[in-house]
C-alpha cells in the first residue's frame, strides 16, 4: 500500500470548516483513499473513502486531486466532538485487505 | 450500522497471569477479524489477522504463543494474552470485516489492559 503524509496537528474553530490534507504521491491506480478517525480512548471510526471522484456523505467530503497524489478531507461545520486523530490510509479495495495506520493528524476543534 | 463490541472494556491483571479479550460483531457476520495494539501517543499497530475456522496470521515481531487468537465463529474472536508482563499493558482494539460485500472494517471500542 502507498505511504501517506499528513500534518501532525491542526486547529479549527467550532462551526468552521476543517480541511485536513493528505499526500499520497505513490498511490497506484487500483488504490483507494480511506479516512478514519479515532476519538481519544475509542476505536477508530470509518469516515469516507474514494478512488478518484470527489465523495460526500453525512459526515464529510473527500476531495481527490486529478493526479490522485493528494486529497483533502473536509468537515463542513466542525464541532467540539470532531476533535480526534484523523488517519488517511491508501489501500486496495479488496475484501480482507488490512489497514496500515500512520501517525495521522490530531485535529483540535476550539470553542 | 455495523456494531462491534469488546469485552472487557478495561482489565487489570497481575504479572504472570493470562487475560482473555472478546471481540464480537453484533449485527453481522465477519469472516475476518483484525487485532491491533496501541501504546500511549502512538498509532495502531496490527498484531494479527484471524479468519473464521483457520489459524491466525501474525505480523512480524508478534509472538503467536503469547498472543493466542481464536476465531471460533463468524461473530466472535478472542485474544488471550498469556503470562502477561507490564510491557503488555496497552490498548487492544479489534475490527471486523463483514461477510457481505462491504469493504470497510468496523472497529470495536477497545480494551485497556494494565498489567501490574
Amino acid at each position: 500500500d502507498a505511504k501517506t503524509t499528513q500534518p501532525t496537528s491542526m486547529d479549527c474553530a467550532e462551526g468552521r470548516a476543517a480541511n485536513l490534507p493528505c499526500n499520497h504521491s505513490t498511490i497506484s491506480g487500483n488504490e483507494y483513499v480511506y479516512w478514519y478517525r479515532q476519538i481519544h480512548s475509542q476505536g477508530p471510526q470509518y469516515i469516507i473513502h474514494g478512488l478518484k471522484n470527489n465523495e460526500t456523505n453525512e459526515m464529510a467530503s473527500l476531495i481527490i486531486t486529478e493526479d490522485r497524489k493528494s486529497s483533502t478531507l473536509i468537515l463542513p461545520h466542525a464541532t467540539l466532538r470532531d476533535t480526534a486523530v484523523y488517519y488517511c490510509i491508501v489501500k486496495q479495495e479488496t475484501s480482507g485487505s488490512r489497514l496500515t495506520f500512520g501517525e495521522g493528524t490530531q485535529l483540535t476543534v476550539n470553542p | 450500522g455495523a456494531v462491534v463490541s469488546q469485552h472487557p472494556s478495561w482489565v487489570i491483571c497481575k504479572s504472570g497471569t493470562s487475560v482473555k479479550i472478546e471481540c464480537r460483531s453484533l449485527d453481522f457476520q465477519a469472516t475476518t477479524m483484525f487485532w491491533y495494539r496501541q501504546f500511549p501517543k502512538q498509532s495502531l499497530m496490527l498484531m494479527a489477522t484471524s479468519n473464521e475456522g483457520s489459524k491466525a496470521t501474525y505480523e512480524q515481531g508478534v509472538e503467536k504463543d503469547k498472543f493466542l487468537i481464536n476465531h471460533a465463529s463468524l461473530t466472535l474472536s478472542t485474544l488471550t494474552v498469556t503470562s502477561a508482563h507490564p510491557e503488555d499493558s496497552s490498548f487492544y482494539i479489534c475490527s471486523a470485516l463483514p461477510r457481505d460485500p462491504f469493504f470497510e472494517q468496523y472497529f470495536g471500542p477497545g480494551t485497556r489492559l494494565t498489567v501490574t
Side-chain angles (χ1 to χ4, degrees), chain A residues 36 38 41-44 46 49 87 93 95-99 101-102, chain B residues 34 36 38 43-44 46 59 91 93 97 103-105 107-109 112:
Chain A
Y36 282 78
Q38 185 180 25
S41 294
Q42 296 184 24
Y46 164 81
H49 77 287
Y87 296 99
E93 194 186 54
S95 182
S97 66
R98 60 194 192 179
L99 295 170
F101 287 83
Chain B
F34 302 87
Y36 296 82
Q38 185 175 34
S43 188
L44 285 80
L46 179 66
E59 295 298 301
F91 192 49
I93 306 168
L97 195 65
F103 299 99
E104 292 77 46
Q105 293 180 32
F107 286 82
R112 176 77 58 192

